[in-house]
Amino acid sequence: MAQVGDKPKGSTIDRSERPGHIGLVLLLASILVGAILSLRFLGSEQAQPLILGLLAFFAMAGVFFLFAIAIGVMQFAGQTARNDITKIMADTSGEGLVVIEDDGRIVYANETYLSLAGSNGGDVRAVERLFTGAPEVSEAIYRLAQAAREHRTGTEEIRLSPSLDGSQEFGWYRVRVRPLPRPSGRQATLWIIADVTHERERQENVFQELQHAIDYLDHAPAGFLSIDPNGSIVYLNATLASWLDYDLAQVGSGGLGLSDIVPRNVVAMMTSFSGEPGSVRTETFDLDLRRRNGQFLPVRLYHRIAFGQDGRMGASRTLVLNRSPGVEVDEGQRAAEVRFARFFNNTPIAIATVNRTGRIVQANAPFTKLFGSLPRTGEGGEGPFILDAFASGERGPVETALRAAAENRGDIQPLELHTAGENGGSVRVWITPAGETGSEDETAIVYALDTTDFRKVEEQLAQSQKMNAVGQLAGGVAHDFNNVLQAIIGYSDLLLANHRPTDPSFQDIMQIKQNANRAASLVRQLLAFSRRQTLRPEVLNLNDRLYDLSMLLKRLLGERVELDLTHGRDLWFVQADVNQFEQVIVNLAVNARDAMPNGGKLAIRTANIGAAEAARLNVGGMPAGDYVKIEVSDTGTGMTPDIVEKIFEPFFTTKEVGKGTGLGLSTVFGIVKQSGGFIDVDSKVGQGTTFRIYLPRHAAAEVEARPEEAKAEAAKKPAADMTGQGTILLVEDEDPVRAVNARALTARGYTVLEAASGVEALQVIEERGEPVDLVVSDVVMPEMDGPTLLGELRKLYPDLKVIFVSGYAEDAFRKNLPEGEEFNFLPKPFSLRQLVEIVKQVMGR
């Protein structure tokens, strides 16, 4: 910035007002004198108009100045209004103030700034010249100057060595800049410089005192720690850190929690206390802390907690006394107390002692974890009532058992109860007399064991057994029903082949076949529920499949239901049957539509679920691993918990008679399970229902079950000519099915040998004395099933071609075949055209 050589007015420099220039006055006077002298060289007649004009000009100028003064446009210099108080405040401020215009001209500097700048009425140094020295000083001043040029505010604290006045080894200065608006419109910046050396010295002194206090506490002969209500350790002194062999750098930054050094059941007890607002509570614990190497350190904790005015628990102040061998004098008593504390707090059974009024005198950590923090309703720190730990409708048996214990009776039977609260779990409770304790009138000891998981396992086992029984029944019925449908569909095809579309009976036969196909669809749902249907898994990207399915879903949902489809990014691949997957989504969408009669929103979302997250989800029976989640949620009427428990059962429906088979969700359940996935449901009445399906991630290194077969089937097209030659052995225990299949194959030119069982088929082969071209065999047959028949035939003719037909899934009997056995499969029911097509394909290989 430019230097200024003007002398200050008094003890400051003030150029905020610019006076008029004397040259303008002299110029105006010269013009007037010249005008008067020029009149002498003119005649009176010529001068008179000029004189009148000059007088008129001065008269007009005088009137103009009068009006300007009257309306305040112009003022006399002596009448300029000044805010003397504001100027005095700036002049005498303890901070250095200097105002600099954009062109570098200093228009104001108070006496503090002049003192800091060392000005004695001569040159006034600009701010950049005051602060020179180390690179960090220059960088700070450069940042402030840049802010000034851009008319921004800025603040920097600068350490200058030596100080500006040279009296100290170093000085600290707080320098600020801010734009200063001016009535004249010229841009200017206010620089403010404050000497904060003493403030910094006070801060350093306080910091040093704090460091000394921390050092005293760190090296105290006892351990000390502070725990917040979330169970995180916010402070740990060096003594306790050395006992536990931990690095202090791990504390206070989320690296160490209470659960890292104490048993997990004690964590809940130490972080779930309740107290009156503004009160302070101190609890004593005898327990083992866990060192970093896994060894235990017996200690006594004095756990002090203060509660705020809102009743919330604050951070603790916990004193830790080391009770290791050799620390205390009374070694025997110490060892006994340590053993008891270990037994009492580390047992998996919740234990509490109760006095005559039913209040808890003492409880271990598992008791607090099981029942939570019970309310304290007594005065003087009395414990909570034991009855508050149990559901309100089950307190009568507890009272009876407590009275029996007070009478020192020993024949008290265990109780099956539920804990208090909406999500209360199951517990088994034993209550025994306390005997002669001599402590606080204890009359009973309460033992409690959490049986919630056992109950759930029992319920799941019972449900699983029921579902398996129903599944076996459904699978057996479906298999037998498929044979009936096979005959109906087969004979319908024979009739249709002999009737033209114009025949009167043609449409009747078509109705028979269409209804048979509808029945076959129902059978497939039964097989899906029993997990015995045939799946053709392939590697899928579910986002693509859902996008392709969206148009169909919109038509199914109608105009009153909005479809919200959200695709997860970089979705993993899964392996599933695409048709069955689409059936799952359609079934869920139709159920959601029916649950929203007044309209609503159906949201379908996909996402990747990693192994760690899958473990936290706690979905029943789902192991940790990578999954792809498909979430289907609606805003419908929702379901009650008792209905949610039954929705996957076959033939269970909440719809009106004739509007649902009860197989939709059971089919969904079967398809998901057969695909290796899991399904979970969450529903609330009036809020809607959410189904979550988890399908295992398909690893890129895996190879599809039968990729060559899948590609071949995709590439194959039915041949126009279905006729052929060769001998076929048809093995089928159902006479109508065997008869219609034999007629169809014979009509296509094949020679058909029939057998009603596997044993009969072997007899036919032995009598023939040579192999047949193809064996078409049922799987489930009396005396000898299909896989056993195939094994016997392979002994005679290893290269024999075989087609299995069955109402069960292919996987249901594949496990009974030798490893690597090749065969073809045709699921029942099938049309005669499908039969001749696959025969033609296999015979042509």
Side-chain angles (χ1 to χ4, degrees):
M1 291 185 180
Q3 299 180 10
V4 179
D6 299 318
K7 295 182 180 181
K9 299 176 182 178
S11 57
T12 63
I13 292 178
D14 188 356
R15 291 195 188 141
S16 57
E17 297 180 3
R18 296 195 176 190
H21 201 282
I22 188 64
L24 295 177
V25 177
L26 295 177
L27 177 61
L28 181 59
S30 300
I31 292 173
L32 292 176
V33 172
I36 294 172
L37 292 177
S38 63
L39 293 176
R40 297 184 60 185
F41 298 99
L42 299 175
S44 58
E45 293 180 357
Q46 294 176 344
Q48 187 173 3
L50 294 175
I51 294 173
L52 291 176
L54 188 60
L55 292 176
F57 170 75
F58 283 117
M60 291 175 63
V63 172
F64 169 76
F65 283 114
L66 289 176
F67 275 102
I69 292 173
I71 64 177
V73 175
M74 301 181 62
Q75 293 181 346
F76 292 105
Q79 296 177 351
T80 302
R82 302 175 63 93
N83 193 337
D84 293 334
I85 296 178
T86 303
K87 188 174 186 309
I88 292 173
M89 290 172 59
D91 290 345
T92 60
S93 173
E95 298 177 332
L97 305 177
V98 58
V99 179
I100 304 175
E101 292 182 339
D102 285 353
D103 57 2
R105 181 172 177 271
I106 297 178
V107 297
Y108 175 80
N110 70 350
E111 58 181 282
T112 303
Y113 179 81
L114 296 177
S115 176
L116 292 172
S119 175
N120 54 2
D123 292 343
V124 179
R125 289 188 293 171
V127 179
E128 288 94 329
R129 295 184 58 195
L130 287 182
F131 296 94
T132 57
E136 58 269 17
V137 175
S138 301
E139 292 174 2
I141 293 298
Y142 174 78
R143 288 193 295 268
L144 291 174
Q146 186 67 23
R149 284 189 292 270
E150 297 175 359
H151 305 291
R152 295 185 289 106
T153 59
T155 303
E156 297 280 352
E157 287 199 4
I158 300 172
R159 185 181 187 276
L160 195 63
S161 179
S163 61
L164 287 175
D165 57 6
S167 61
Q168 295 180 338
E169 183 180 354
F170 65 89
W172 281 94
Y173 301 92
R174 184 180 295 117
V175 183
R176 292 173 289 170
V177 296
R178 66 180 179 87
L180 190 67
R182 302 183 66 197
S184 63
R186 297 175 63 86
Q187 296 291 338
T189 303
L190 173 63
W191 292 71
I192 306 172
I193 304 173
D195 189 344
V196 294
T197 305
H198 295 297
E199 178 182 338
R200 280 286 189 152
E201 290 177 348
R202 286 195 301 271
Q203 291 177 353
E204 291 180 359
N205 291 335
V206 171
F207 179 76
Q208 289 294 333
E209 294 175 0
L210 181 60
Q211 286 295 105
H212 289 314
I214 293 175
D215 184 67
Y216 298 150
L217 182 60
D218 270 347
H219 298 90
F224 184 84
L225 75 156
S226 180
I227 307 163
D228 66 11
N230 297 323
S232 298
I233 298 177
V234 296
Y235 176 76
L236 184 80
N237 73 340
T239 300
L240 183 56
S242 65
W243 290 349
L244 300 176
D245 194 25
Y246 275 105
D247 186 358
L248 280 177
Q250 292 181 312
V251 183
S253 60
L256 191 64
L258 185 60
S259 59
D260 295 324
I261 63 172
V262 301
R264 293 190 178 276
N265 54 3
V266 181
V267 175
M269 182 169 57
M270 297 182 66
T271 57
S272 60
F273 292 113
S274 60
E276 298 294 329
S279 64
V280 178
R281 180 176 173 182
T282 303
E283 299 287 341
T284 303
F285 302 103
D286 288 306
L287 49 85
D288 291 331
L289 297 184
R290 187 169 51 249
R291 292 188 174 98
R292 189 176 62 174
N293 58 8
Q295 297 179 352
F296 290 101
L297 174 72
V299 296
R300 171 167 288 177
L301 301 183
Y302 293 94
H303 193 55
R304 186 178 180 88
I305 307 159
F307 297 90
Q309 295 301 321
D310 56 356
R312 293 184 179 180
M313 185 174 66
S316 74
R317 305 292 185 268
T318 305
L319 182 66
V320 184
L321 300 181
N322 192 341
R323 308 195 72 191
S324 299
V327 176
E328 294 186 358
V329 177
D330 192 348
E331 186 67 21
Q333 180 181 359
R334 181 207 62 78
E337 291 178 352
V338 168
R339 284 197 301 271
F340 172 76
R342 285 176 176 170
F343 296 153
F344 188 64
N345 286 314
N346 294 327
T347 176
I349 299 178
I351 306 174
T353 57
V354 182
N355 62 17
R356 293 186 180 276
T357 63
R359 292 185 180 274
I360 298 174
V361 178
Q362 189 176 7
N364 67 346
F367 188 91
T368 305
K369 180 181 179 181
L370 178 58
F371 295 101
S373 180
L374 301 177
R376 290 174 174 253
T377 56
E379 299 293 337
E382 293 183 357
F385 282 109
I386 185 64
L387 297 179
D388 293 336
F390 304 102
S392 58
E394 300 178 343
R395 296 174 181 177
V398 179
E399 291 180 319
T400 302
L402 290 175
R403 285 195 297 268
E407 296 171 1
N408 205 26
R409 291 168 49 187
D411 57 347
I412 305 173
Q413 296 297 318
L415 304 174
E416 299 292 341
L417 305 172
H418 290 83
T419 57
E422 296 181 359
N423 300 321
S426 301
V427 291
R428 173 169 289 183
V429 179
W430 295 265
I431 299 178
T432 61
E436 296 296 331
T437 61
S439 174
E440 300 188 45
D441 195 24
E442 296 173 340
T443 59
I445 303 176
V446 178
Y447 304 89
L449 181 64
D450 187 0
T451 59
T452 303
D453 293 337
F454 296 107
R455 293 290 185 185
K456 289 182 178 179
V457 170
E458 288 179 354
E459 293 174 359
Q460 291 175 357
L461 179 60
Q463 179 72 6
S464 176
Q465 290 175 343
K466 180 175 68 173
M467 297 290 278
N468 286 336
V470 176
Q472 291 177 359
L473 175 62
V477 170
H479 174 264
D480 294 337
F481 200 43
N482 269 334
N483 284 326
V484 177
L485 291 174
Q486 180 62 59
I488 296 174
I489 294 174
Y491 282 108
S492 298
D493 286 339
L494 289 178
L495 291 173
L496 290 173
N498 297 323
H499 288 75
R500 296 180 179 179
T502 56
D503 291 345
S505 58
F506 185 87
Q507 293 300 324
D508 296 335
I509 301 172
M510 283 295 299
Q511 285 294 328
I512 295 173
K513 184 176 180 180
Q514 289 175 2
N515 282 278
N517 287 329
R518 288 182 58 192
S521 176
L522 183 62
V523 171
R524 280 194 294 271
Q525 293 187 27
L526 285 172
L527 288 173
F529 163 72
S530 62
R531 307 177 207 172
R532 296 184 180 182
Q533 65 175 342
T534 300
L535 295 183
R536 298 294 183 186
E538 54 185 287
V539 179
L540 305 175
N541 185 310
L542 296 185
N543 283 343
D544 297 338
R545 295 301 174 182
L546 289 173
Y547 179 79
D548 296 338
L549 196 61
S550 60
M551 295 304 297
L552 173 61
L553 293 177
K554 289 179 180 179
R555 288 195 297 269
L556 288 173
L557 296 175
E559 297 180 355
R560 306 183 67 178
V561 178
E562 176 188 355
L563 176 63
D564 180 13
L565 190 59
T566 304
H567 298 304
R569 297 186 60 184
D570 300 325
L571 199 67
W572 295 327
F573 288 97
V574 299
Q575 194 171 28
D577 187 310
V578 59
N579 295 323
Q580 299 300 331
F581 170 75
E582 291 178 353
Q583 182 181 352
V584 167
I585 300 301
V586 168
N587 284 356
L588 293 178
V590 170
N591 280 353
R593 179 200 63 190
D594 296 341
M596 297 182 288
N598 298 323
K601 181 178 181 180
L602 176 66
I604 303 178
R605 297 179 175 86
T606 59
N608 294 330
I609 303 295
E613 185 178 356
R616 292 194 301 269
L617 293 175
N618 197 26
V619 177
M622 187 172 76
D626 293 338
Y627 295 88
V628 174
K629 180 180 73 172
I630 307 99
E631 184 177 277
V632 181
S633 60
D634 62 63
T635 58
T637 55
M639 297 178 288
T640 59
D642 57 329
I643 292 179
V644 171
E645 294 178 357
K646 302 177 182 178
I647 57 175
F648 294 123
E649 296 182 4
F651 310 111
F652 175 80
T653 179
T654 58
K655 299 178 182 179
E656 301 176 8
V657 177
K659 292 188 177 181
T661 63
L663 287 174
L665 289 179
S666 62
T667 301
V668 169
F669 182 84
I671 292 173
V672 171
K673 287 297 182 181
Q674 194 173 0
S675 302
F678 301 87
I679 186 169
D680 187 29
V681 60
D682 181 20
S683 183
K684 293 183 180 179
V685 177
Q687 298 184 18
T689 303
T690 300
F691 287 90
R692 299 179 183 89
I693 299 172
Y694 303 92
L695 295 179
R697 177 185 182 182
H698 174 72
E702 295 180 3
V703 180
E704 288 75 3
R706 290 172 302 278
E708 296 83 7
E709 180 182 342
K711 293 178 181 177
E713 289 182 359
K716 291 172 184 174
K717 296 182 180 180
D721 182 13
M722 291 291 104
T723 61
Q725 295 180 352
T727 303
I728 299 175
L729 175 60
L730 182 61
V731 188
E732 173 63 60
D733 61 326
E734 292 286 340
D735 294 338
V737 176
R738 186 176 67 254
V740 71
N741 291 344
R743 287 181 58 182
L745 293 174
T746 302
R748 297 306 190 278
Y750 298 103
T751 301
V752 180
L753 305 178
E754 299 184 36
S757 66
V759 175
E760 186 176 339
L762 288 176
Q763 294 175 354
V764 172
I765 291 292
E766 290 177 358
E767 293 175 359
R768 177 179 171 83
E770 59 179 342
V772 295
D773 298 305
L774 176 66
V775 176
V776 179
S777 173
D778 193 8
V779 174
V780 179
M781 295 180 295
E783 299 184 60
M784 180 183 292
D785 60 8
T788 305
L789 172 63
L790 178 61
E792 296 297 326
L793 292 176
R794 286 285 188 238
K795 296 177 182 178
L796 300 174
Y797 308 108
D799 299 329
L800 193 63
K801 298 177 181 179
V802 176
I803 298 176
F804 278 127
V805 295
S806 177
Y808 286 129
E810 177 182 346
D811 296 337
F813 63 89
R814 175 178 284 276
K815 58 186 178 182
N816 297 326
L817 295 173
E819 185 70 23
E821 181 65 52
E822 293 185 1
F823 64 93
N824 299 274
F825 180 74
L826 183 62
K828 291 181 180 180
F830 50 82
S831 66
L832 296 183
R833 181 178 181 84
Q834 290 175 321
L835 174 63
V836 297
E837 282 179 355
I838 191 170
V839 168
K840 181 77 172 180
Q841 292 170 4
V842 175
M843 294 280 284
R845 294 177 184 173

